[in-house]
Amino acid sequence: MRTRILALLAVLVFFALVWLYVREFAVLYNTIKAKSLVLGSMFVALMLVTGGLWRWRNRFTPWERHLPEVLFLLIFSVLFAPLFGSLLNRSLGKNSHQSFEFVSETPYLASNYGILKGEKLKPTGYYLIVKEKGRELRFQYKTQSYYPLTKSGETVFLPVRSGLFGYRVVLLK
């Protein structure tokens, strides 16, 4: 009976982690230099798990019998590392407003099942493209058009959270 309860708890924790990960995708999309945050998190997780496995290698001998456990630890930690890296980065950050050079704001339409005949189309969200130090950045949000009257080249101020690890997240909803 105890094994079933632990298995059920493990499944619930897994679904909760997947749910958190899906919600974190929007944050990762609006993170400046998110690729290095994701890859760095995966590398750190791999090193931590490898170090832990090396430290407690006697617990996992013979390796042939414990191969599924070792692979589970390695794969699970690497796949969920970006979630924890992003959450940790935002947890102890500071909010501020930062200036960017406006390039464009374009609406997009996303439909899971296609467009029905006669359906009134309205944007699902918006892409905001700005420049910082000559580098073009693209952010996504869903609520409303923030800059409908802004012309290309003008300066806009965006809410930015500077994270614990130095990665900045643009806080657009």
Side-chain angles (χ1 to χ4, degrees):
M1 184 65 167
R2 182 175 169 218
T3 306
R4 286 186 179 183
I5 292 173
L6 289 175
L8 178 64
L9 185 63
V11 169
L12 290 175
V13 166
F14 177 74
F15 279 124
L17 285 173
V18 170
W19 178 76
L20 274 172
Y21 217 146
V22 168
R23 294 187 49 87
E24 198 68 18
F25 282 150
V27 174
L28 281 170
Y29 193 90
N30 288 343
T31 301
I32 299 171
K33 296 184 180 178
K35 183 178 179 181
S36 63
L37 173 65
V38 168
L39 292 175
S41 298
M42 293 171 102
F43 179 75
V44 167
L46 183 64
M47 292 298 108
L48 286 174
V49 170
T50 304
L53 289 172
W54 180 256
R55 168 74 175 88
W56 291 288
R57 65 186 175 275
N58 293 335
R59 157 74 175 88
F60 294 103
T61 53
W63 283 101
E64 298 80 30
R65 286 188 55 209
H66 296 283
L67 189 60
E69 298 163 5
V70 170
L71 289 177
F72 173 78
L73 287 172
L74 285 170
I75 292 170
F76 189 80
S77 65
V78 169
L79 288 181
F80 282 94
L83 168 66
F84 296 117
S86 179
L87 289 172
L88 276 173
N89 181 55
R90 283 188 304 133
S91 65
L92 299 173
K94 292 182 247 171
N95 291 345
S96 63
H97 280 75
Q98 187 174 342
S99 64
F100 294 91
E101 180 185 334
F102 180 81
V103 175
S104 70
E105 180 180 52
T106 55
Y108 69 89
L109 176 69
S111 176
N112 292 338
Y113 305 107
I115 299 169
L116 300 174
K117 186 175 179 179
E119 180 180 5
K120 179 129 170 108
L121 299 178
K122 64 179 188 173
T124 308
Y126 298 88
Y127 291 119
L128 176 64
I129 302 172
V130 296
K131 279 188 180 179
E132 179 188 42
K133 299 175 186 168
R135 183 170 165 232
E136 206 168 88
L137 304 168
R138 182 176 172 175
F139 306 113
Q140 179 180 344
Y141 51 94
K142 297 194 181 278
T143 55
Q144 65 184 20
S145 176
Y146 284 105
Y147 304 101
L149 302 175
T150 309
K151 294 178 179 62
S152 184
E154 291 184 17
T155 301
V156 293
F157 289 94
L158 298 175
V160 175
R161 182 168 185 96
S162 298
L164 176 67
F165 303 130
Y167 295 96
R168 296 172 295 154
V169 180
V170 176
L171 304 172
L172 297 172
K173 300 259 178 190

